[in-house]
Amino acid sequence: MLSVEKLTKRYGASKAIEDVSFEASPGEIVGIVGHNGSGKSTTMNIITGYLAATSGHVRLDGEDNVQCAKKVRRKIGYLPEVPSLYAELTVEEQLRFACDIRGIRNRKEAIALACASTDIEGVRRRLIGNLSKGYRQRVGLAQALVGNPPVLILDEPSSGLDPTQIVDMRRMIRALGREHLVLMSTHVLSEVSALCSRLVILNNGRVAADETPERLSERFRQRDLYEIQVDCPDETLMGALSEAGYRDAKLLGTQGGLARVRLIVKKPDAASRLAAVAKSAGGELRAFGPVMPELEAVFLSLTRDERYAARKKGGAEKEGVSG
């Protein structure tokens, strides 16, 4: 169990993060999400022990990452946004070096497991400087995996990768999440949707939400907004809906032979009433359910870079004075 308790990091009068708290357990892939400058990397660097908090605690299995620093760090594998790799070393030499730093005695077994988990067996003897960005990122992940630590901290793991490499990286992270606690920061919301079982959303250094993607969507959805799918012509269905009193219905188009319509529904027996409308139009109600907001809309509702807004406002006021 990873426990983050009221973490605060100050730089003079400025606070990078303030009272950040959350918990995570093995088998979870938790996304740390936020706008640039929201405190994602600061939080992760404190968890890994690379940065000291001004106040607050990080505990892993009940052990404080400051008081029991060496013991806690052995349980954490860290992949920074730009992996620390030596271009003049081969992949195997880099991983041996990582084993030596971490005090891993059975290097052969540790390296074999890390290479197998990241699909880099075929490049073990190649120079890192000659590898593609995608393979360098895999080597960085393998380096985080040596010793098979129970916790993996991944900072923007797909940064700079092409679409094929992103798919491969997601596949590996998903597999690792079955046996490890994976904590990953990203601002790519499609990655969050594809991988994360829970989100910790940061807004200007504070936790704005700590929930599953499904619960976040449910919390922010418009309560009376629904979508139906009916297997009949668009115009016929829209006419039947209008006659039944659904004059605010909006046709979204046809998909797979089904007319998709979004409409406001307030009556408790809406499903049976809409089934009757569909039947009157010569079709059958194939789907009926609430319209769930996209994660992007939820993110925008919860976050706003106040530092950027302050700079923008200041610039606007300056322009007004000079103009």
Side-chain angles (χ1 to χ4, degrees):
M1 169 75 77
L2 174 69
S3 178
V4 176
E5 304 167 8
K6 296 186 176 181
L7 284 188
T8 296
K9 180 62 179 178
R10 294 189 185 91
Y11 294 98
S14 176
K15 290 182 180 179
I17 59 173
E18 184 175 6
D19 290 334
V20 171
S21 299
F22 61 90
E23 293 184 343
S25 303
E28 282 191 291
I29 301 178
V30 179
I32 307 294
V33 184
H35 55 76
N36 288 335
S38 63
K40 300 188 300 294
S41 292
T42 299
T43 300
M44 299 183 86
N45 282 329
I46 292 173
I47 293 171
T48 59
Y50 283 86
L51 192 64
T54 304
S55 62
H57 299 277
V58 175
R59 293 185 172 89
L60 183 56
D61 297 332
E63 296 173 322
D64 190 278
N65 77 332
V66 174
Q67 297 174 359
C68 307
K70 288 186 178 180
K71 193 171 182 180
V72 170
R73 287 181 186 180
R74 288 194 190 101
K75 297 180 179 180
I76 296 176
Y78 179 44
L79 173 64
E81 184 174 355
V82 180
S84 300
L85 305 173
Y86 293 96
E88 65 274 16
L89 296 182
T90 65
V91 170
E92 183 140 5
E93 289 169 340
Q94 177 74 44
L95 296 179
R96 285 178 185 170
F97 176 62
C99 287
D100 290 342
I101 289 177
R102 295 179 68 92
I104 297 169
R105 294 180 181 178
N106 193 345
R107 294 190 308 183
K108 185 176 180 180
E109 182 180 337
I111 291 172
L113 179 61
C115 288
S117 297
T118 54
D119 294 334
I120 58 171
E121 283 285 351
V123 298
R124 284 177 66 162
R125 291 172 178 78
R126 289 186 59 183
L127 289 175
I128 289 172
N130 293 336
L131 296 178
S132 67
K133 166 71 174 174
Y135 268 103
R136 289 198 301 273
Q137 200 76 349
R138 290 189 189 201
V139 174
L141 182 57
Q143 183 170 250
L145 275 169
V146 291
N148 198 28
V151 178
L152 295 174
I153 310 287
L154 314 179
D155 193 357
E156 302 285 357
S158 298
S159 177
L161 302 185
D162 67 34
T164 301
Q165 293 166 343
I166 288 172
V167 170
D168 287 340
M169 180 60 71
R170 288 178 182 173
R171 174 180 53 79
M172 287 184 281
I173 293 171
R174 194 177 290 111
L176 291 168
R178 299 188 191 109
E179 298 180 358
H180 299 75
L181 161 57
V182 178
L183 196 66
M184 57 177 284
S185 75
T186 182
H187 58 265
V188 181
L189 297 181
S190 59
E191 191 157 76
V192 170
S193 299
L195 290 173
C196 298
S197 55
R198 189 157 59 86
L199 304 182
V200 176
I201 300 180
L202 297 181
N203 180 38
N204 296 295
R206 287 179 167 270
V207 175
D210 178 3
E211 297 180 55
T212 65
E214 294 78 17
R215 287 185 64 182
L216 277 171
S217 291
E218 176 64 28
R219 178 149 69 95
F220 282 89
R221 77 176 179 88
Q222 185 177 330
R223 292 298 161 191
D224 298 327
L225 188 61
Y226 286 78
E227 181 180 318
I228 61 172
Q229 296 182 22
V230 180
D231 58 351
C232 73
D234 298 350
E235 293 182 3
T236 306
L237 175 61
M238 296 305 291
L241 286 169
S242 180
E243 287 181 12
Y246 295 100
R247 294 182 179 84
D248 57 352
K250 180 181 179 182
L251 179 65
L252 301 179
T254 302
Q255 185 176 4
L258 299 176
R260 297 173 56 232
V261 177
R262 190 166 291 182
L263 69 171
I264 301 295
V265 173
K266 295 186 177 180
K267 304 233 178 237
D269 59 342
S272 58
R273 292 183 74 236
L274 286 167
V277 172
K279 188 175 181 180
S280 72
E284 184 178 346
L285 183 65
R286 297 290 187 178
F288 168 70
V291 176
M292 306 305 288
E294 297 290 336
L295 197 54
E296 180 177 306
V298 174
F299 178 82
L300 292 174
S301 297
L302 287 169
T303 63
R304 181 172 180 267
D305 191 342
E306 293 176 357
R307 286 162 286 192
Y308 171 77
R311 291 196 298 271
K312 186 175 181 180
K313 182 179 178 182
E317 289 174 352
K318 187 176 180 181
E319 286 181 10
V321 171
S322 62

